[in-house]
Structures are given as structure tokens and as C-alpha cells.
Amino acid sequence: MGGDDNDEPLTPAGRLFLQPEMNQVVHCVVGLKNAMDVDSIITEIQNSVMLQHPRFTSLMVLDHRGVEHWRPTEIDLDRHVLVFDNPVSDAVDDQSAISDYMGDLCTTPKLSMDKPLWEIHLLKAHKCIIFRIHHSLGDGISLMSLLLASCRKLHDPDALPAISIPTTKSRRSLWNLLTALFFSFIYVIQFMLRCLWIRDRKTAISGGDGVELWPRKIATASFSLEDMKTVKSAVPNATINDVLFAVISSGISRYLDFRQPNGLRDGVQLTGLAMVNLRKQPGLQELSNLMKSNSGAKWGNKFGMILLPIYYHRSKSSNAVEYLKRAKVMIDRKKKSLEAHMSYKIGDFVMSTLGPKFASLLNYRILCNTTFAFSNVVGPQEEIMIAGNPVTFLRANNSALPHALVLLMVSYAGKADMQVQVAKDIIPDPEFLAKCFEDALLELKEHVTA
């Protein structure tokens, strides 16, 4: 296609997510309390900031050199809002039906390129809204901000949802600087080796090249934030993220005890690949800030990747609190390093110098060389509503990666739901795996309160 004065080039990260190996669609799942009023929801969409945002009102086109650009276009809502009147699955309950549908979406054909890269599915029979948004439009922080801009507080209908995340100030000293440089050097070397050839040992939950095309299943592990706060009090200065990663470590060990009771030696490392928000202010920013190019909280994809190793330990011989202590030590070291920032800079450099195909290959290799992917997005802690309908849950997942296990958590109103997405030919029982995670938190709580 020829050029256009209104065309805007894609960011390097946006171009990366359009490559065949990294073609990712993010799914935001919103559960509703009451029966769905389709007309009210469509009116809300028409009046939302989403339809004022240039990313959501532009086609992705190629210029004469084959380089991707955004080009403004007119929106035809009938092509973007898909209404399903009948049940989308034969499952006996709504939660299972939604999970079945989401599992199918993970490997469904990608979004059509002849319209802006987003859709909204309204599942009337299950009182559920699903936002399908291409990852080139933005990351989890950007997309959650956009979603919440269309919501209101349940008990204050004129107020936008609020996100409050405590900030931690690090002390500046020569020792802290030396520690940061040391850990950054070690972790960046490890990261680069993962991109090239080092990979995890094969286990019952390992994926690999081509697994992104395999059929998917999804289950949900639900946690109480109060329980997580109780657990974190057992270790000084522990955080919710420390508890969460202890739960993941313990839960995966429990599951492998069941699937490979005699197949793994104690202490085997399994590596998670986690996405970290790099914006100056942690958590969710107001949408107006995200849309300002000079705000320091830019819209788009602004995240780095870090490696988070866990270690298999036989459940019967391990102390639950030890998982939390190990998780805290490891995550504290990661916080002191610049691994996430360096991974973002390295990716940006590779994209700019060697092009998206090579950058996509490196990203794909690190996915194949690790065991699972993980992301955590903080949502509002007060109940909210959309189009006057109270929201019962917020969840997120994405289209399939070469991992056989992908974990994406969203917290909302005192609860955290973690979507456990699996390649079902490798992990046939995601419901049992989700229960392993839930039981791991309950065991931790029992040890702390005993």
C-alpha cells in the first residue's frame, strides 16, 4: 500500500507481536451479575474512550517497503461486537462454559487484518463479556486501564475505579549500586544464554516448539487476598508477589508429585518467564496519562521479561513456609537488578538493528527454553460495574504460547483469579492443577496460623 500523511509507524514491540511466532491476542474476561442488556453495553462502547483512541480506530497497513503502519479508519461496530445468544458450550455451568470457550479462543484464527485489531464477544447465556485485543495495541497495564475507563464504582456510580499500589523507595548507597550491578550482570548473562541454548529439563508440564498450535484448556485458581496477606506476615517484609510465587512453586511440586511420583530428583529447577511493567509509576495509571507521549507512562507495550526459577521439592518432605522464604530471597535479588529493563533494551536494540524476524526468533527460543509463563495485573479492590451491571470477576489470558502452562492472574475486590491455561495433550487435568495452587495457599496459611 502507498503512504498516507496520517499513517503512524508501529513501535518495535508492536511489530514484534505481529510476527507469526509471536502473534498474540490478549483476552480480558468480565463476568456480570445480572442478565446482559446488549443495547446498553453497545451504547457504553460507542461512548467509551476506546473509540477515541488512535490504536483502536486504525488499520494495520504496510507501506511500499513492507513496514507496518497504523492508518486511521472508520469503525463499523457490527464487525467488532459479536453477540452470542445461545450457550457456547455443553458444560453444565457458566464458569466451565466460559473456560471451554476461552480455551478454544486461544488457538482460534487470529484477528482479521481488514479491520482494527480488536473484538468484543458478548456471551448472553453466561453473562460474560470477552475483550479480544491484539497485543500490538498495548500490554496488560494499558489494556486494563482502557477497560476500567469504561467502568464505574459500584457504590459511587459517578466515580472511576481507583487502583492503589504501595510504592517502595530504595535507598541510594554505594553498596546498593554495587549489588544492583552484580545481580544485573549475572541475570542478563543468564537471560542471554536462555535465548541461545540453555533450557529446562523435560518434565510432565514442559512445552516446546510448535506447542502453541496444540488445543488448549483453561481452569481458574481463586485466592483470597486476605489469606495471602496472612501468609506474607510469616516472613518479614514479604509481599503478595512473594506469596504468589511460593504458591506457584508449591503447587507445581504438588502436581509433579502426582504426575511423576518417581521421575524427578529433589531440587530440579523449572524456570518461569514473567512480564514486568516498566513504567515509572507502578500499576495502573489514568488513561489520560497513558495517552500522553511525554508522561513517562506511555501507552503501548512497556514491559520487560525476567526469569523466575522455581525448584521441585517433594510435598511430603518439604516445609510449606520454606517455599515462601526461597521465593522472597529470589524475588528480592531480581528487584535489585536491572534484568527487566535490560531485557527490554536488548529486545529494542535487536528489533532496531536486526529486524523483527530475528527478534521474534530470539523471543520464541526463550519461550521454548523455559517451562511456564506468568503475568500478574492488579485490578480495582472495590467492586465496579459496567453499563450499570455489577462485575463479579475480572480475568485475563492470551492466545497460545509454546509453553504448555501459562498463568495469568488478575486481582479484584479482595479476590485474585489465576487463569491456568494448558496444552491439554500435555496437561490433561488443569482443574486438578488449579486445585494444587489453591491447596498450596491454604497449607501455607495453616502453617502460619498454627
Side-chain angles (χ1 to χ4, degrees):
M1 294 184 181
D4 188 292
D5 290 342
N6 294 321
D7 284 3
E8 181 183 348
L10 270 71
T11 62
R15 294 184 70 197
L16 175 67
F17 283 118
L18 286 165
Q19 297 304 303
E21 299 86 356
M22 297 298 297
N23 200 338
Q24 285 291 296
V25 178
V26 180
H27 303 135
C28 302
V29 189
V30 182
L32 301 177
K33 181 178 180 180
N34 302 321
M36 190 179 295
D37 184 338
V38 173
D39 291 337
S40 294
I41 292 173
I42 291 177
T43 299
E44 190 71 46
I45 294 167
Q46 288 173 330
N47 297 329
S48 71
V49 291
M50 185 168 71
L51 295 192
Q52 303 167 26
H53 195 289
R55 289 289 180 272
F56 289 79
T57 55
S58 298
L59 291 172
M60 199 287 293
V61 300
L62 301 178
D63 66 13
H64 64 282
R65 297 172 298 168
V67 178
E68 301 90 344
H69 283 69
W70 297 117
R71 177 170 298 170
T73 187
E74 292 294 323
I75 294 294
D76 179 3
L77 266 188
D78 290 337
R79 297 191 64 204
H80 290 273
V81 181
L82 310 180
V83 182
F84 297 83
D85 293 307
N86 299 317
V88 294
S89 165
D90 295 329
V92 295
D93 60 86
D94 287 336
Q95 296 298 320
S96 299
I98 294 167
S99 292
D100 289 348
Y101 187 71
M102 295 308 305
D104 292 339
L105 282 184
C106 289
T107 52
T108 201
K110 304 304 178 186
L111 293 165
S112 173
M113 303 295 283
D114 64 353
K115 64 181 182 183
L117 297 174
W118 60 274
E119 291 177 349
I120 298 176
H121 295 196
L122 306 181
L123 312 186
K124 286 184 66 176
H126 309 294
K127 297 185 286 189
C128 177
I129 305 173
I130 298 169
F131 293 79
R132 295 192 75 211
I133 302 169
H134 199 281
H135 216 319
S136 60
L137 272 63
D139 58 17
I141 299 295
S142 296
L143 300 179
M144 181 64 83
S145 300
L146 188 82
L147 170 63
L148 294 182
S150 299
C151 299
R152 295 294 182 270
K153 292 182 180 180
L154 181 62
H155 302 297
D156 187 359
D158 296 324
L160 287 168
I163 303 295
S164 177
I165 301 180
T167 58
T168 55
K169 294 183 179 179
S170 58
R171 292 176 299 168
R172 294 182 179 180
S173 69
L174 178 60
W175 174 248
N176 285 340
L177 176 61
L178 293 174
T179 303
L181 290 174
F182 173 76
F183 284 125
S184 297
F185 177 76
I186 296 296
Y187 293 145
V188 168
I189 294 296
Q190 290 178 350
F191 192 92
M192 294 174 70
L193 291 175
R194 282 278 166 177
C195 289
L196 299 174
W197 68 80
I198 292 181
R199 66 180 305 160
D200 282 347
R201 175 178 172 172
K202 198 81 171 174
T203 69
I205 61 172
S206 297
D209 190 6
V211 172
E212 69 273 14
L213 303 175
W214 293 21
R216 297 272 151 167
K217 288 182 72 175
I218 291 178
T220 303
S222 293
F223 308 111
S224 161
L225 289 181
E226 276 304 314
D227 286 351
M228 299 181 95
K229 290 174 183 176
T230 300
V231 169
K232 80 182 182 74
S233 66
V235 176
N237 301 316
T239 67
I240 292 292
N241 275 334
D242 297 333
V243 175
L244 176 60
F245 218 72
V247 165
I248 291 173
S249 304
S250 176
I252 287 178
S253 290
R254 285 165 175 265
Y255 183 76
L256 290 174
D257 276 348
F258 172 75
R259 287 288 302 277
Q260 289 181 270
N262 300 309
L264 287 178
R265 62 176 174 80
D266 219 47
V268 166
Q269 177 181 318
L270 305 175
T271 309
L273 187 66
M275 315 305 158
V276 179
N277 173 40
L278 296 181
R279 294 173 178 87
K280 290 181 180 178
Q281 298 174 353
L284 295 164
Q285 289 79 28
E286 291 184 8
L287 191 66
S288 57
N289 285 339
L290 283 172
M291 293 173 68
K292 294 175 184 175
S293 61
N294 62 351
S295 68
K298 295 180 182 178
W299 176 272
N301 288 284
K302 185 73 172 177
F303 66 89
M305 296 187 290
I306 62 173
L307 300 173
L308 290 177
I310 65 171
Y311 300 91
Y312 165 76
H313 292 281
R314 290 181 178 85
S315 299
K316 293 179 181 178
S317 62
S318 58
N319 182 340
V321 179
E322 289 302 313
Y323 285 107
L324 177 57
K325 292 178 180 177
R326 284 191 292 266
K328 176 171 170 47
V329 169
M330 184 264 296
I331 291 177
D332 281 352
R333 289 174 177 173
K334 293 287 179 176
K335 288 176 182 175
K336 291 174 183 175
S337 80
L338 298 173
E339 181 183 2
H341 290 84
M342 292 299 291
S343 69
Y344 178 81
K345 293 293 185 183
I346 290 169
D348 198 48
F349 174 76
V350 172
M351 278 288 298
S352 303
T353 56
L354 301 177
K357 292 190 184 302
F358 190 76
S360 176
L361 174 64
L362 284 182
N363 273 272
Y364 189 75
R365 284 186 67 87
I366 199 168
L367 292 169
C368 291
N369 289 346
T370 50
T371 297
F372 65 95
F374 169 72
S375 183
N376 178 22
V377 176
V378 178
Q381 294 312 297
E382 295 179 278
E383 290 186 289
I384 61 174
M385 59 183 177
I386 185 167
N389 201 335
V391 171
T392 55
F393 63 81
L394 292 174
R395 295 173 188 158
N397 56 63
N398 56 277
S399 52
L401 295 167
H403 290 121
L405 175 61
V406 179
L407 304 172
L408 289 97
M409 193 173 90
V410 179
S411 59
Y412 167 60
K415 188 174 74 170
D417 279 352
M418 184 166 71
Q419 295 273 266
V420 181
Q421 182 202 126
V422 303
K424 63 182 181 181
D425 292 335
I426 297 175
I427 303 175
D429 46 2
E431 296 84 6
F432 175 67
L433 178 53
K435 188 174 187 305
C436 287
F437 292 130
E438 292 175 344
D439 289 347
L441 177 60
L442 294 177
E443 184 186 12
L444 271 166
K445 183 184 175 185
E446 287 174 8
H447 275 74
V448 169
T449 56

Short mmCIF file of all heavy atoms in Angstrom, two decimals, residues 11 17 41 70 99 122 144 178 235 237 275 285 289 319 341 343 413:
data_model
loop_
_atom_site.label_atom_id
_atom_site.label_comp_id
_atom_site.label_asym_id
_atom_site.label_seq_id
_atom_site.Cartn_x
_atom_site.Cartn_y
_atom_site.Cartn_z
N THR A 11 5.45 0.75 16.93
CA THR A 11 6.63 0.68 17.80
C THR A 11 7.34 -0.66 17.54
O THR A 11 6.74 -1.59 16.99
CB THR A 11 6.21 0.73 19.28
OG1 THR A 11 5.38 -0.41 19.56
CG2 THR A 11 5.46 2.01 19.58
N PHE A 17 4.95 -8.23 17.93
CA PHE A 17 3.75 -9.02 18.19
C PHE A 17 2.93 -9.30 16.94
O PHE A 17 1.91 -9.98 17.01
CB PHE A 17 2.88 -8.32 19.25
CG PHE A 17 3.39 -8.49 20.64
CD1 PHE A 17 3.77 -7.40 21.40
CD2 PHE A 17 3.51 -9.75 21.20
CE1 PHE A 17 4.25 -7.56 22.69
CE2 PHE A 17 3.99 -9.92 22.49
CZ PHE A 17 4.36 -8.83 23.24
N ILE A 41 -24.75 -2.02 26.65
CA ILE A 41 -23.30 -2.28 26.51
C ILE A 41 -22.78 -1.66 25.21
O ILE A 41 -21.71 -1.05 25.20
CB ILE A 41 -23.04 -3.79 26.55
CG1 ILE A 41 -23.33 -4.33 27.95
CG2 ILE A 41 -21.58 -4.10 26.16
CD1 ILE A 41 -23.27 -5.82 28.08
N TRP A 70 0.11 2.28 11.31
CA TRP A 70 -1.31 2.44 11.69
C TRP A 70 -1.93 3.50 10.78
O TRP A 70 -1.36 4.56 10.58
CB TRP A 70 -1.44 2.90 13.15
CG TRP A 70 -0.91 1.95 14.17
CD1 TRP A 70 0.12 2.16 15.02
CD2 TRP A 70 -1.40 0.64 14.47
NE1 TRP A 70 0.32 1.08 15.83
CE2 TRP A 70 -0.62 0.12 15.51
CE3 TRP A 70 -2.43 -0.15 13.95
CZ2 TRP A 70 -0.82 -1.15 16.06
CZ3 TRP A 70 -2.63 -1.42 14.49
CH2 TRP A 70 -1.84 -1.90 15.52
N SER A 99 -14.79 -21.12 30.39
CA SER A 99 -13.44 -21.67 30.29
C SER A 99 -13.27 -22.45 29.00
O SER A 99 -12.22 -22.37 28.33
CB SER A 99 -13.14 -22.55 31.50
OG SER A 99 -13.06 -21.78 32.68
N LEU A 122 -19.97 -10.91 23.33
CA LEU A 122 -20.99 -10.84 24.39
C LEU A 122 -21.66 -12.21 24.49
O LEU A 122 -22.39 -12.61 23.59
CB LEU A 122 -22.03 -9.76 24.07
CG LEU A 122 -21.48 -8.35 23.79
CD1 LEU A 122 -22.63 -7.38 23.53
CD2 LEU A 122 -20.64 -7.84 24.96
N MET A 144 -5.86 -2.89 30.66
CA MET A 144 -6.67 -2.83 31.87
C MET A 144 -7.11 -1.39 32.15
O MET A 144 -8.25 -1.13 32.56
CB MET A 144 -5.90 -3.39 33.06
CG MET A 144 -6.69 -3.38 34.37
SD MET A 144 -8.15 -4.43 34.35
CE MET A 144 -7.40 -6.02 34.72
N LEU A 178 26.48 -1.32 43.84
CA LEU A 178 27.32 -2.48 43.52
C LEU A 178 26.50 -3.76 43.46
O LEU A 178 26.70 -4.61 42.59
CB LEU A 178 28.45 -2.61 44.55
CG LEU A 178 29.50 -1.49 44.54
CD1 LEU A 178 30.47 -1.67 45.70
CD2 LEU A 178 30.26 -1.47 43.21
N VAL A 235 6.92 -13.94 57.09
CA VAL A 235 8.31 -13.61 56.75
C VAL A 235 8.43 -12.10 56.71
O VAL A 235 7.67 -11.43 56.00
CB VAL A 235 8.70 -14.22 55.38
CG1 VAL A 235 10.11 -13.79 54.98
CG2 VAL A 235 8.61 -15.75 55.45
N ASN A 237 8.89 -8.38 55.81
CA ASN A 237 8.97 -7.62 54.56
C ASN A 237 8.56 -8.41 53.33
O ASN A 237 8.86 -8.01 52.20
CB ASN A 237 10.38 -7.05 54.35
CG ASN A 237 10.80 -6.13 55.49
OD1 ASN A 237 10.03 -5.30 55.94
ND2 ASN A 237 12.04 -6.31 55.95
N MET A 275 6.44 -11.29 33.03
CA MET A 275 6.37 -9.97 32.40
C MET A 275 6.30 -8.90 33.50
O MET A 275 5.50 -9.01 34.42
CB MET A 275 5.15 -9.85 31.49
CG MET A 275 4.95 -11.07 30.59
SD MET A 275 6.37 -11.47 29.59
CE MET A 275 6.05 -13.20 29.21
N GLN A 285 -2.13 3.38 35.55
CA GLN A 285 -2.21 4.83 35.53
C GLN A 285 -3.55 5.25 34.90
O GLN A 285 -4.20 4.48 34.21
CB GLN A 285 -1.06 5.43 34.69
CG GLN A 285 0.29 5.31 35.35
CD GLN A 285 0.88 3.92 35.19
OE1 GLN A 285 0.59 3.24 34.23
NE2 GLN A 285 1.71 3.54 36.13
N ASN A 289 -3.11 9.81 31.25
CA ASN A 289 -1.66 9.80 31.36
C ASN A 289 -1.04 8.83 30.37
O ASN A 289 -0.01 9.11 29.76
CB ASN A 289 -1.22 9.42 32.78
CG ASN A 289 -1.42 10.57 33.75
OD1 ASN A 289 -1.51 11.72 33.35
ND2 ASN A 289 -1.51 10.25 35.03
N ASN A 319 8.78 -28.20 54.02
CA ASN A 319 8.03 -27.28 54.86
C ASN A 319 7.42 -26.19 53.97
O ASN A 319 8.14 -25.53 53.20
CB ASN A 319 8.97 -26.67 55.90
CG ASN A 319 8.25 -25.73 56.85
OD1 ASN A 319 7.16 -25.23 56.55
ND2 ASN A 319 8.85 -25.49 58.00
N HIS A 341 14.61 -4.19 32.77
CA HIS A 341 14.95 -3.05 31.91
C HIS A 341 15.94 -3.46 30.82
O HIS A 341 15.82 -3.04 29.66
CB HIS A 341 15.54 -1.90 32.75
CG HIS A 341 14.55 -1.23 33.64
ND1 HIS A 341 14.22 -1.74 34.88
CD2 HIS A 341 13.79 -0.11 33.47
CE1 HIS A 341 13.31 -0.95 35.44
NE2 HIS A 341 13.04 0.04 34.62
N SER A 343 16.39 -6.49 29.53
CA SER A 343 15.75 -7.36 28.54
C SER A 343 14.94 -6.53 27.55
O SER A 343 14.91 -6.82 26.35
CB SER A 343 14.86 -8.39 29.23
OG SER A 343 13.72 -7.79 29.82
N ALA A 413 -11.47 -6.86 43.96
CA ALA A 413 -12.41 -6.84 45.09
C ALA A 413 -12.10 -7.92 46.12
O ALA A 413 -12.96 -8.71 46.51
CB ALA A 413 -13.84 -6.99 44.57
#
